[in-house]
Amino acid sequence: MPENKYKRILLKLSGEALAGDNKVGIDQETVDKICEQIKELVKMKTEVAIVVGGGNFWRGADKNMERTTSDYMGMLATTMNGLALQNALEEKGVYTRLQTAIEMREVAEPYIKRRAVRHLEKGRVVIFGCGTGNPYFTTDTAAALRAAEIDAEVILVGKTIDRSLFCRS
Ligand code: UDP
């Protein structure tokens, strides 16, 4: 078993990273692959917290819509991704908790920092939904915020990169 480099990490997954080649929605195979890697980290006793984006469903700043409404829709989208990650991880036997910055008690715990840290200490993967809970922000900001709050050693970012930008013609 390889040794873990970090004790506690914050993984930022963009929504697009969950969409695979489709770029929108959720690609279950892609989610499974990501969760398999997360499982390996948990096995190595790395404490894993995840901030998940929502860009595969909705991105704010839509010019046809009032900004805060659009941003709240984006935050709700992150929770759909959070549920998909939770489902895939639990199917692999990884214990998880989903905590959201906007309360929706029927589907997730509200974000409580101390409780999140306790879950991590117990080896549960904690998924943070709804970003910061505030419009005019992004989940990248939420990743930095949560990482600081839970005292993560490192922020690792999983995004889809447009490879065509790196290809020479
Ligand atoms: N969002 C927000 N406040 C936050 C986090 C997210 O208003 O703290 C909204 C914002 O509209 C954003 C959308 O949710 O565009 C989806 O998040 P993001 O664009 O960061 O997702 P990603 O690009 O990582 O998939």
Side-chain angles (χ1 to χ4, degrees), residues 12-17 51-62 67-78 81 101-102 129-143 145 158-159:
K12 162 68 210 292
L13 289 174
S14 74
E16 234 186 19
V51 167
V52 65
N56 53 328
F57 285 120
W58 189 264
R59 222 178 274 280
D62 182 311
R67 175 67 192 260
T68 55
T69 302
S70 186
D71 280 341
Y72 279 118
M73 288 171 69
M75 285 185 264
L76 295 179
T78 70
N81 286 329
I102 296 171
C130 293
T132 63
N134 300 292
Y136 294 96
F137 286 97
T138 69
T139 52
D140 285 354
T141 317
L145 176 65
K159 285 186 189 237

Side-chain angles (χ1 to χ4, degrees), residues 77 98 108:
L98 175 62

Side-chain angles (χ1 to χ4, degrees), residues 110-163:
Y111 171 64
I112 298 172
K113 181 235 157 177
R114 281 170 183 277
R115 190 179 259 194
V117 168
R118 194 77 193 103
H119 288 321
L120 291 169
E121 287 168 352
K122 286 184 176 170
R124 297 170 185 149
V125 172
V126 180
I127 304 160
F128 296 120
C130 293
T132 63
N134 300 292
Y136 294 96
F137 286 97
T138 69
T139 52
D140 285 354
T141 317
L145 176 65
R146 295 290 182 248
E149 286 179 288
I150 64 166
D151 211 11
E153 283 161 79
V154 67
I155 300 174
L156 302 173
V157 181
K159 285 186 189 237
T160 304
I161 294 165
D162 184 351
R163 288 190 185 80

